[in-house]
Amino acid sequence: MLTSVFSAGNSGVDGYIVTVECNSLDIRLDKYEIVGLPDAAVKEAKERVRTACENSGFQFPESAITVNLAPADRKKEGSGFDLAILLGILGSNNYLGSVNFEGKCFVGELSLSGEVRSIRGVLCMCAAARDAGFKEFYAPEANAAEAASVEGITVYGVSDVRSLALHLCGKAPMKPTECDRSLFESDLGRFELDFSDIKGQGMAKRAMEIAAAGGHNILLIGPHVTGNSMISKRLPSILPPLTFEEAIETTKIHSVAGILPEKVSLLRTRPFRSPHHTMSSVSMVGGGANPVPGEVSLAHNGVLFLDELPEYNKNVTDALRQPLEDGKVTITRVNGRVTYPSTFMLICAMNPCKCGYFGHPTEKCTCNPISVKNYISKVSGPLLDRIDIEIEMPSLSIDEMTSDVKGESSADIRERVIRARKIAAERFKSMKGVYCNAQIRPGASAETVKISEASLDLLRKSFSAIGLSARAYDRIIRVARTIADLDGSETVEPPHVAEAIQYRSLDRKYWR
């Protein structure tokens, strides 16, 4: 008897439907095969399914069983097909009666006791099932809340094989799992770190506000103990809250990577990734035999923070160029090609020299001029060209460090950032894929940015005086547009341009 049960797999952050065809011949022959390009984890499902079947109160059939995972030309990976394979075997031997599997999709790994264990990428699978027209989605109980975030499909959390069999036979119906959007919205905006904790550094705070309002990449450079890391780690607290759609998109990546925190069904805050400088380029952009997302994708819709930028291997920082430009990264392997989204804000912090005291007003730098130059030159020109804002962090005075005056809170800064983002979103509503000023394509600034003649005149003079590149010119225009949005100005005026030019002045001081 032939029975077809539907399951799902993942390719990157895109799910796909797999038809599990189970054929059982009524002959006493101990033959049990799984075909359809299964990997090692899928092949091992044979023994998991057999033992789980017996420990769930069913007698495993003594017949010739063939399981085909279609489409047969696509490699199947992971343990998420266990549940569908078991149901197919039970159905093909008429152990479940007249159960109709149409419109139902089943995913989950089986334990030897018959319990259904959690798997990676359930959110992507559920979205694929919904898009394919399925009405019901059965997932491990631990993943049910995650899958329930997908609208338009009924999700059931399965704890064990026995309870699922009773549900399918209509003897003990299970309750569907529902997504509570109010819970998602109630947790938005809760942060332990706040900008009010930072003393001094007024210009750096202003630069961070501009970066958050326009989605700009930013570089902080300064001696030791100037607060580079402290101010960078507080950036998420002033960014606009995640929309529900952004939360779904971001959660998909973390689910596929297997790093979604326990009992968290949907990410509620923007990711903040801070990898160590000893990482490899594969860890940064993703890869492996079965490609998994790297740091640039795990930071999607959030922040990627690189502390001590010159300490990173040049191959690692150079690998950032394409994701920063395209907002996605494509990994090609023998088994196929996977694309992961990677739209993020890049925040870099560095010391001006190896010892960290070059330019310090009181501490003496122990580096000679050549070593200072060599240290600075570890940051490549092409990467600098992709950074919109550069800020020098001065050392704090004793009065600033001992002051009891609290700075402006993150909540107040965030209000201005959200207001500026809304202005930009309205301006770009007719442009596909552009949501903030940092995403304005090179050469398109003239069409999207209203700039006064006086501002253009200031730009012309600065271009020749400072020696700006064409890419730097575009960056200045974008930053000036963000400053104008924060001011509520429809047109970019000379003060906005002048401030934006200040944020490109470090090129001359350190790299030229």
Side-chain angles (χ1 to χ4, degrees):
M1 181 178 175
L2 175 64
T3 300
S4 294
V5 181
F6 300 96
S7 188
N10 282 321
S11 177
V13 292
D14 297 319
Y16 61 92
I17 300 301
V18 174
T19 304
V20 180
E21 300 173 323
C22 295
N23 189 69
S24 181
L25 295 178
D26 193 16
I27 55 175
R28 302 184 70 83
L29 178 65
D30 189 15
K31 179 187 176 186
Y32 179 14
E33 295 292 338
I34 298 179
V35 298
L37 281 185
D39 71 350
V42 181
K43 289 177 181 177
E44 290 174 354
K46 291 197 296 185
E47 297 309 315
R48 288 196 300 271
V49 167
R50 183 194 296 272
T51 310
C53 178
E54 294 171 348
N55 288 330
S56 297
F58 298 99
Q59 182 180 355
F60 195 81
E62 296 180 0
S63 56
I65 299 172
T66 303
V67 178
N68 178 44
L69 306 179
D73 61 346
R74 188 168 197 168
K75 191 167 183 64
K76 316 304 183 305
E77 300 167 353
S79 56
F81 305 110
D82 290 8
L83 186 58
I85 292 173
L86 175 54
L87 291 175
I89 292 173
L90 294 178
S92 64
N93 287 273
N94 205 28
Y95 287 176
L96 298 177
S98 57
V99 172
N100 184 6
F101 292 111
E102 287 297 321
K104 300 178 178 68
C105 184
F106 302 86
V107 299
E109 176 187 327
L110 294 177
S111 70
L112 299 185
S113 64
E115 294 180 353
V116 182
R117 289 176 171 165
S118 62
I119 57 173
R120 298 181 180 186
V122 167
L123 184 58
C124 312
M125 297 175 188
C126 188
R130 186 269 317 273
D131 294 342
F134 287 87
K135 302 300 180 185
E136 296 178 9
F137 186 80
Y138 294 81
E141 197 170 41
N143 299 124
E146 175 188 339
S149 304
V150 180
E151 296 179 336
I153 189 169
T154 303
V155 176
Y156 292 94
V158 183
S159 59
D160 57 78
V161 172
R162 192 68 186 169
S163 62
L164 176 59
L166 292 172
H167 168 80
L168 294 174
C169 295
K171 296 179 180 178
M174 299 186 300
K175 289 185 178 180
T177 304
E178 297 181 357
C179 176
D180 188 355
R181 275 214 186 192
S182 62
L183 182 63
F184 167 77
E185 293 166 357
S186 66
D187 280 354
L188 295 177
R190 294 185 179 180
F191 298 95
E192 296 180 1
L193 304 177
D194 197 276
F195 262 73
S196 60
D197 302 328
I198 300 172
K199 297 181 179 180
Q201 303 296 3
M203 189 173 182
K205 290 180 186 177
R206 167 67 174 173
M208 279 293 186
E209 179 180 340
I210 294 168
H216 302 289
N217 302 322
I218 184 171
L219 169 68
L220 307 174
I221 181 170
H224 279 313
V225 203
T226 54
N228 288 349
S229 301
M230 184 178 184
I231 196 169
S232 298
K233 290 175 181 177
R234 282 158 176 75
L235 178 62
S237 68
I238 64 172
L239 288 173
L242 277 172
T243 64
F244 192 76
E245 291 71 23
E246 286 178 327
I248 290 283
E249 195 175 47
T250 307
T251 304
K252 280 184 178 181
I253 301 171
H254 287 243
S255 178
V256 167
I259 62 169
L260 199 62
E262 190 176 352
K263 296 183 180 180
V264 172
S265 59
L266 203 61
L267 293 177
R268 295 173 173 85
T269 57
R270 295 186 181 274
F272 183 88
R273 304 293 300 181
S274 180
H276 195 261
H277 61 77
T278 55
M279 71 184 306
S280 66
S281 56
V282 172
S283 301
M284 178 64 83
V285 299
N290 300 320
V292 295
E295 292 294 336
V296 296
S297 297
L298 296 174
H300 181 61
N301 288 325
V303 177
L304 177 63
F305 174 49
L306 303 184
D307 200 6
E308 305 297 344
L309 180 61
E311 299 296 334
Y312 286 82
N313 190 292
K314 193 173 185 298
N315 292 335
V316 174
T317 54
D318 284 348
L320 289 170
R321 298 185 200 175
Q322 185 250 339
L324 285 171
E325 287 293 324
D326 299 341
K328 61 183 179 181
V329 59
T330 300
I331 306 165
T332 304
R333 294 292 183 268
V334 174
N335 294 333
R337 178 166 35 177
V338 173
T339 298
Y340 289 109
S342 58
T343 302
F344 58 91
M345 283 182 63
L346 176 64
I347 310 299
C348 302
M350 61 179 289
N351 296 323
C353 66
K354 190 72 176 177
C355 77
Y357 289 109
F358 180 74
H360 196 282
T362 56
E363 298 289 341
K364 184 179 179 181
C365 175
T366 59
C367 305
N368 60 56
I370 293 177
S371 65
V372 172
K373 182 179 179 181
N374 290 340
Y375 187 77
I376 289 289
S377 64
K378 288 182 179 180
V379 183
S380 68
L383 180 60
L384 283 173
D385 278 344
R386 289 165 172 80
I387 295 176
D388 298 351
I389 299 174
E390 301 164 354
I391 286 294
E392 191 167 28
M393 301 278 287
S395 300
L396 295 177
S397 66
I398 187 64
D399 292 334
E400 288 174 318
M401 287 189 286
T402 57
S403 174
D404 293 330
V405 178
K406 277 277 188 181
E408 192 175 20
S409 70
S410 292
D412 293 337
I413 301 173
R414 196 183 203 189
E415 284 184 13
R416 296 196 296 269
V417 168
I418 293 173
R419 189 163 55 246
R421 286 263 186 148
K422 286 180 178 178
I423 293 172
E426 181 65 24
R427 184 167 56 248
F428 301 132
K429 63 182 180 182
S430 62
M431 299 179 66
K432 186 178 180 180
V434 179
Y435 308 102
C436 58
N437 294 319
Q439 295 173 331
I440 300 175
R441 290 181 293 275
S445 56
E447 304 170 10
T448 56
V449 179
K450 291 183 180 179
I451 184 166
S452 67
E453 190 58 40
S455 299
L456 284 172
D457 187 52
L458 177 59
L459 271 170
R460 292 188 193 102
K461 293 177 181 177
S462 303
F463 195 89
S464 56
I466 302 177
L468 298 172
S469 66
R471 194 187 292 267
Y473 174 84
D474 281 328
R475 303 285 174 185
I476 288 173
I477 291 290
R478 297 177 196 179
V479 174
R481 179 63 265 177
T482 300
I483 297 170
D485 287 342
L486 285 167
D487 280 354
S489 174
E490 187 175 346
T491 306
V492 176
E493 301 296 342
H496 306 141
V497 173
E499 184 176 359
I501 290 172
Q502 288 182 23
Y503 300 134
R504 298 297 306 185
S505 62
L506 296 188
D507 278 4
R508 297 185 71 191
K509 179 175 180 179
Y510 287 105
W511 284 277
R512 296 185 188 177

